[in-house]
Amino acid sequence: METGFTRRRLTDREAGTVLASLRAWEPSAGCGWQLQAGDLGWALRFEPAIRDEQIRVWWDATGRCAAVILCDQPGSARCAVNPAYLHDSTLADAVLADLSRRLDRAGGGPWIDPPPGPGALTRALLAAGYEPDPDIWLHLWRPLPGAVAEPPAEPTVRAFRSADAAQRVAVQHAAFPGSSLTPERYQRLRAVPGYRAELDLVGTVDDRITAFCLAWLGPPGGTALLEPAGTHPGHRRRGHASAVIAEAFRRLARLGATGVAVLTPVSNRPAVALYRALGFTAVAERRSYWPAPP
Ligand SMILES: CC(C)(COP(=O)(O)OP(=O)(O)OC[C@H]1O[C@@H](n2cnc3c(N)ncnc32)[C@H](O)[C@@H]1OP(=O)(O)O)[C@@H](O)C(=O)NCCC(=O)NCCS
């Protein structure tokens, strides 16, 4: 039985392997449920020093990827574990010890999302005195192709172009106040393995960007992920997010995806309402675990 696990910084050369591992850990049909390749792909927009702080990758003694942890919010850690090691307490204990050190240093948390279900990491968290956080994240999923409404006359939906960078970043900030996105980071994102220009969509009115949606393919014939999607506050409730996301559905289906997933906190009511209106259903809940108050 495997016992030795090591963590080392993610190099550019290994990024493709790690993204492929995340895809391979997803079920090939039905809903994906761990941290997905698209989540990591979106995180790879950051500069190397920030990536080193945010992305923690564990390997087994044979060089297989064993776990991927994304610490992309202060004090937080979202964890995906190779299904072969979901019940491995050696790996779970090593991951938790490492995260406790890192999250203590980062402050603001800590909250840790283990893979859903009764795995070793959840058991280790409970044994270490962590409790489930009441704020639940919904994992929403819908099959592809499936029905989508006819697109409205506006916006025009098309793929992102290099000349859009400044505007696209500005609309990200309008949709997600406090966003860390910069044109340079957008440029880096476009070089991430798995980024596909035809799945990076914008909605425009008079060539001004009003909405966006970036989609990431999952395993062949499996579930894709939307990360991120948003509409400028000045254009909401006019079908702009629906129009870009519906175009993402069409393109993903043409590329062989059989489903599409998205994660959002239950507290983000507009997003939950949007995804339900687009035919998504909640297939799983993700819970974060916090240290129990003394
Ligand atoms: C969620 C968000 C993308 C919706 O964008 P939008 O362009 O306004 O959405 P649409 O106009 O396409 O809405 C389609 C349907 O979704 C539902 N919906 C969207 N926003 C809603 C809201 N605030 N309240 C209730 N229902 C809402 C409605 O059913 C709506 O249809 P209707 O307007 O005919 O009732 C937008 O509010 C946003 O950018 N929020 C901040 C970023 C964010 O949370 N992104 C998603 C993260 S996963």
Side-chain angles (χ1 to χ4, degrees):
M1 178 156 163
E2 184 56 58
T3 51
F5 297 96
T6 49
R7 183 177 71 72
R8 59 175 186 268
R9 64 179 291 273
L10 179 64
T11 60
D12 283 343
R13 200 172 49 80
E14 283 172 340
T17 308
V18 174
L19 287 160
S21 300
L22 284 173
R23 280 193 199 95
W25 299 348
E26 290 296 322
S28 60
C31 116
W33 50 272
Q34 295 212 43
L35 176 70
Q36 287 179 312
D39 295 308
L40 182 64
W42 175 241
L44 288 171
R45 70 195 181 281
F46 284 112
E47 297 76 3
I50 299 179
R51 283 166 40 170
D52 289 351
E53 270 300 303
Q54 293 193 346
I55 301 166
R56 306 176 96 72
V57 183
W58 288 82
W59 304 85
D60 72 11
T62 68
R64 267 196 314 173
C65 191
V68 181
I69 291 111
L70 184 59
C71 305
D72 59 347
Q73 306 286 326
S76 81
R78 289 192 280 160
C79 308
V81 175
N82 184 327
Y85 295 125
L86 269 177
H87 299 287
D88 189 302
S89 57
T90 308
L91 176 64
D93 290 345
V95 165
L96 184 53
D98 174 62
L99 283 179
S100 302
R101 280 192 300 275
R102 190 232 176 244
L103 294 172
D104 281 352
R105 227 179 39 242
W111 52 264
I112 297 177
D113 281 14
L121 189 53
T122 302
R123 280 199 304 278
L125 285 162
L126 292 170
Y130 282 69
E131 285 181 350
D133 180 40
D135 190 17
I136 296 167
W137 281 66
L138 280 186
H139 190 127
L140 297 137
W141 179 87
R142 62 154 279 164
L144 289 176
V148 281
E150 274 305 300
E154 283 186 329
T156 302
V157 180
R158 61 167 174 79
F160 172 92
R161 299 177 190 139
S162 304
D164 293 328
Q167 253 199 76
R168 170 66 185 80
V169 169
V171 179
Q172 180 85 19
H173 281 255
F176 293 95
S179 164
S180 61
L181 194 63
T182 61
E184 295 72 29
R185 288 176 179 168
Y186 214 89
Q187 190 58 30
R188 191 172 295 108
L189 173 75
R190 297 176 73 213
V192 167
Y195 170 92
R196 296 180 72 123
E198 74 267 43
L199 297 179
D200 187 1
L201 300 174
V202 292
T204 67
V205 174
D206 299 330
D207 219 32
R208 302 294 302 168
I209 297 175
T210 58
F212 56 85
C213 168
L214 175 56
W216 301 81
L217 283 172
T223 290
L225 180 77
L226 305 182
E227 175 64 16
T231 299
H232 189 288
H235 295 272
R236 289 190 182 156
R237 296 304 288 268
R238 294 183 211 155
H240 287 222
S242 305
V244 280
I245 294 172
E247 179 60 21
F249 293 165
R250 282 185 277 273
R251 293 180 183 219
L252 288 168
R254 277 204 298 274
L255 291 165
T258 55
V260 56
V262 71
L263 268 159
T264 191
V266 173
S267 54
N268 189 347
R269 293 191 178 179
V272 174
L274 166 73
Y275 295 125
R276 288 194 192 280
L278 284 168
F280 286 81
T281 51
V283 290
E285 289 180 353
R286 284 196 77 111
R287 278 186 185 270
S288 301
Y289 286 74
W290 293 78

